[in-house]
Amino acid sequence: MLHAPTIESMRTHKRMRNSRRGATAVEFAIVLPIVLLLLIGLCVIQLGTFRYNQIASLAQESARWASVHGKEFANQFDSAIATKEDIFNQVIQPRAKGLDLSKLEYDIVWDENRKMVTVTLRYAWIPETFFSQQVISCTAVSLCTY
């Protein structure tokens, strides 16, 4: 059998609900900074992954372009083999959107037959946060032959 709520039980319930409001505010004040810190951390990790993928893609494209403009290209078109400066001007610089080129180092090494090229890119990335100035180095190496 169900009993109708009494006035006293309704007052007790209202008192308990009002006392819980302060606890909710305290819990929110404790949890909010932790959640925000985790979100900022995830964003920084995602940006680091993006930068690494960007550097790896640049290395791959540079190696592909250099191998296409290697010894066979020079023989067919009676021109010089692609130089380090050519690769920078034709591939790296136009595709390096959002990168600080002063922090980008690159090295191009040909094998003795001038048919295989190794491109190494290094980028000193400073995470885009206001509380960290730590430099993280991204390095990508790509080999390509024609």
Side-chain angles (χ1 to χ4, degrees):
M1 176 182 229
L2 294 175
H3 296 280
T6 63
I7 293 176
E8 187 61 35
S9 67
M10 289 176 25
R11 285 184 186 150
T12 304
H13 178 68
K14 188 175 181 180
R15 241 184 282 125
M16 287 174 57
R17 191 178 65 204
N18 286 341
S19 68
R20 182 74 184 137
R21 265 192 213 155
T24 305
V26 170
E27 289 170 3
F28 182 74
I30 292 171
V31 171
L32 182 67
I34 296 169
V35 170
L36 288 177
L37 189 61
L38 286 173
L39 285 175
I40 290 171
L42 286 173
C43 289
V44 169
I45 289 170
Q46 186 274 332
L47 284 170
T49 304
F50 174 76
R51 288 290 180 226
Y52 175 75
N53 285 334
Q54 191 176 18
I55 296 299
S57 177
L58 272 175
Q60 183 181 12
E61 282 295 313
S62 299
R64 187 200 63 77
W65 192 88
S67 71
V68 168
H69 293 85
K71 186 176 181 180
E72 295 296 323
F73 178 83
N75 290 340
Q76 279 184 341
F77 295 100
D78 197 30
S79 64
I81 292 175
T83 64
K84 187 176 178 178
E85 290 76 26
D86 291 337
I87 295 167
F88 180 78
N89 292 330
Q90 296 297 321
V91 182
I92 296 173
Q93 189 175 23
R95 289 177 174 87
K97 304 292 183 210
L99 294 177
D100 183 0
L101 293 177
S102 66
K103 296 177 184 173
L104 181 69
E105 298 175 15
Y106 63 101
D107 191 29
I108 288 90
V109 178
W110 291 92
D111 71 339
E112 53 277 340
N113 296 331
R114 296 282 202 194
K115 289 193 173 200
M116 185 166 63
V117 65
T118 304
V119 175
T120 305
L121 292 178
R122 283 183 254 0
Y123 185 69
W125 174 61
I126 299 174
E128 289 88 351
T129 60
F130 56 90
F131 54 85
S132 174
Q133 294 300 316
Q134 181 179 1
V135 176
I136 298 172
S137 179
C138 300
T139 303
V141 178
S142 185
L143 302 169
C144 199
T145 185
Y146 184 75

